[in-house]
Amino acid sequence: MNIKSLTLPELTALLKDLGQPAFRGKQVYTWLHKGVRSYEEMTNLPKGLRDILSEKYPIYPPEVVRKQESQRDGTIKYLWRLADGNCVETVLMRYHYGNTVCISTEVGCAMGCAFCASTIGGLVRRLEPYEMLDEVLFTQIDSGLPVSRIVLMGIGEPLDNFDNVMRFLELVNSEDSMNISMRHISLSTCGLIPKIDRLAEKKLQISLAISLHGPNNEVRNKIMPVNKAYPIEDLLDCCRRYYDATSRRIHFEYAMIDGVNDSEADARELLRRLKGLPAHFNLIPLNHVEESPLKPSSKAAVARFQKILEDGGITATVRRTLGGDIDASCGQLRRKYTKGN
Ligand code: SAH
């Protein structure tokens, strides 16, 4: 495991094995989580120790390949190159309640959703805990903007990379790292039921978002292959268990696709199925992806859908699309880059 993926107690133990006093662990951890680019920057460490660490435990800060800033809303999108040459995207969004970073959890994605650019080339590999941490850290450093919230809604399926994502959450939440509150972190999944149950056991205070995108199996099967393994009835039962275990209201994401999932009947079916489950809907007009024939719903269809949900007692917001001028949605920038190279 990379040294930057270690927790503070683990790092302290590692330094102890190198014959170092206990306080070194915290010193090195603090430096690493400040985003130093080399051990040379750790000026309060003896030179000999810095040399040993850089030889035995090299650190690999990501490099900026592309940086695009929206002229409309200040959204900044980064394409990073990782140590092995793979690229991932991170997006910084500026909301009135704080700057939010949307991170990738995998290089590519295995889930195969029909509307999503991230999955076109399949899954290349899962990200290490420190690579996710670096996305947040170096976005903050490069932009000069303090980050207070994180959403795991970039490239990849976070629950397909369960252990590394859990470790990342522990790191980024820790006091001597970025100290970002669990309540300010959202994790989004397409619906891997056994992993949602495992997450529930941990009783974290994070927000869980479910990419629903359809009111029934017929619609979901068409656009989300994961539904064939984990059908909607089972998924919603799982959401109820999650709520019972955590008392956290569940967020549902719903990409509105013209003629596919946006009818009045679809909205009413959702109301029936979600009865009694405290939920919040995020309606997202589909971002058009070049390779896909699917089109966004009209503004009128989105408004009609929202009204039916709200009249039925489910809060539903239409997500403002940020960064529309900079390919800021899921996997589009990486896709363009890999196609061009
Ligand atoms: N794999 C996880 C994390 C991705 S989160 C998940 O499926 O939840 C990114 C969100 O954006 C998901 O809800 C995803 O379904 C949605 N999305 C992907 N492509 C989109 C597109 N072209 N338009 C609108 N939403 C999209």
Side-chain angles (χ1 to χ4, degrees):
M1 200 182 290
N2 184 275
I3 190 166
K4 215 170 165 178
S5 291
L6 300 180
T7 62
L8 175 55
E10 289 166 346
L11 184 59
T12 304
L14 179 145
L15 284 156
K16 214 175 142 208
D17 287 347
L18 292 175
Q20 293 295 317
F23 66 86
R24 287 280 182 240
K26 188 160 168 171
Q27 275 182 334
V28 175
Y29 188 87
T30 309
W31 280 118
L32 288 174
H33 291 253
K34 262 192 192 148
V36 291
R37 304 193 74 88
S38 83
Y39 287 100
E40 285 315 298
E41 293 175 48
M42 303 189 183
T43 44
N44 56 358
L45 255 54
K47 174 86 173 94
L49 178 61
R50 280 185 261 161
D51 291 345
I52 293 173
L53 290 174
S54 39
E55 196 187 310
K56 287 184 93 163
Y57 306 102
I59 46 178
Y60 306 102
E63 303 289 338
V64 180
V65 182
R66 294 269 164 86
K67 175 179 178 185
Q68 299 183 347
E69 187 158 358
S70 167
Q71 296 310 304
R72 293 181 208 159
D73 51 49
T75 298
I76 306 176
K77 180 147 190 165
Y78 290 95
L79 185 70
W80 303 105
R81 186 179 296 108
L82 308 173
D84 67 352
N86 275 305
C87 292
V88 288
E89 304 174 13
T90 308
V91 184
L92 176 93
M93 295 162 292
R94 304 197 208 176
Y95 292 112
H96 62 88
Y97 49 76
N99 298 319
T100 303
V101 163
C102 174
I103 64 160
S104 299
T105 55
E106 297 181 317
V107 180
C109 183
M111 297 298 128
C113 298
F115 44 81
C116 182
S118 301
T119 198
I120 293 173
L123 175 69
V124 179
R125 71 167 173 88
R126 303 182 169 99
L127 292 187
E128 300 289 321
Y130 81 92
E131 291 175 317
M132 294 180 255
L133 180 80
D134 278 350
E135 289 184 67
V136 186
L137 204 49
F138 286 98
T139 295
Q140 177 169 277
I141 292 170
D142 185 89
S143 68
L145 298 165
V147 171
S148 58
R149 291 173 189 258
I150 301 172
V151 297
L152 282 71
M153 297 190 177
I155 299 173
E157 167 51 50
L159 295 186
D160 179 53
N161 189 13
F162 193 89
D163 293 336
N164 287 346
V165 165
M166 292 305 120
R167 183 174 272 268
F168 157 69
L169 293 179
E170 188 181 343
L171 294 175
V172 81
N173 174 243
S174 73
E175 228 172 82
D176 298 299
S177 179
M178 298 190 77
N179 200 11
I180 293 183
S181 143
M182 288 286 183
R183 286 185 171 268
H184 287 178
I185 300 178
S186 293
L187 182 152
S188 177
T189 176
C190 62
L192 301 178
I193 294 177
K195 301 291 177 58
I196 299 172
D197 282 329
R198 261 180 83 190
L199 185 65
E201 281 169 22
K202 298 197 176 277
K203 299 193 192 301
L204 300 178
Q205 290 300 299
I206 58 170
S207 298
L208 177 66
I210 304 279
S211 297
L212 200 62
H213 306 324
N216 53 41
N217 289 320
E218 200 192 332
V219 173
R220 277 192 113 228
N221 282 342
K222 264 191 236 157
I223 51 177
M224 301 181 76
V226 68
N227 192 70
K228 291 177 189 151
Y230 302 117
I232 193 165
E233 306 82 15
D234 299 349
L235 177 59
L236 294 177
D237 283 347
C238 173
C239 289
R240 288 177 209 277
R241 289 194 294 279
Y242 188 89
Y243 180 77
D244 290 342
T246 63
S247 308
R248 305 280 295 160
R249 182 169 73 152
I250 295 191
H251 294 253
F252 289 97
E253 288 157 279
Y254 200 95
M256 305 266 325
I257 311 173
D258 183 42
V260 174
N261 62 5
D262 62 349
S263 71
E264 292 186 23
D266 292 332
R268 290 190 213 291
E269 187 169 0
L270 281 176
L271 282 180
R272 280 199 302 280
R273 287 195 189 259
L274 285 150
K275 234 187 175 77
L277 177 67
H280 175 101
F281 263 76
N282 259 319
L283 304 175
I284 315 153
L286 184 81
N287 269 298
H288 180 65
V289 171
E290 226 174 79
E291 288 85 348
S292 157
L294 301 169
K295 299 255 150 25
S297 304
S298 68
K299 266 199 171 142
V302 176
R304 185 183 63 187
F305 205 90
Q306 180 185 25
K307 182 160 189 322
I308 295 172
L309 292 182
E310 295 248 318
D311 289 350
I314 289 185
T315 57
T317 45
V318 179
R319 191 176 289 168
R320 204 158 52 101
T321 44
L322 296 179
D325 53 337
I326 55 166
D327 298 318
S329 82
C330 265
Q332 292 190 0
L333 185 59
R334 172 173 173 267
R335 177 82 196 134
K336 270 199 186 158
Y337 182 76
T338 35
K339 259 199 327 200
N341 289 267

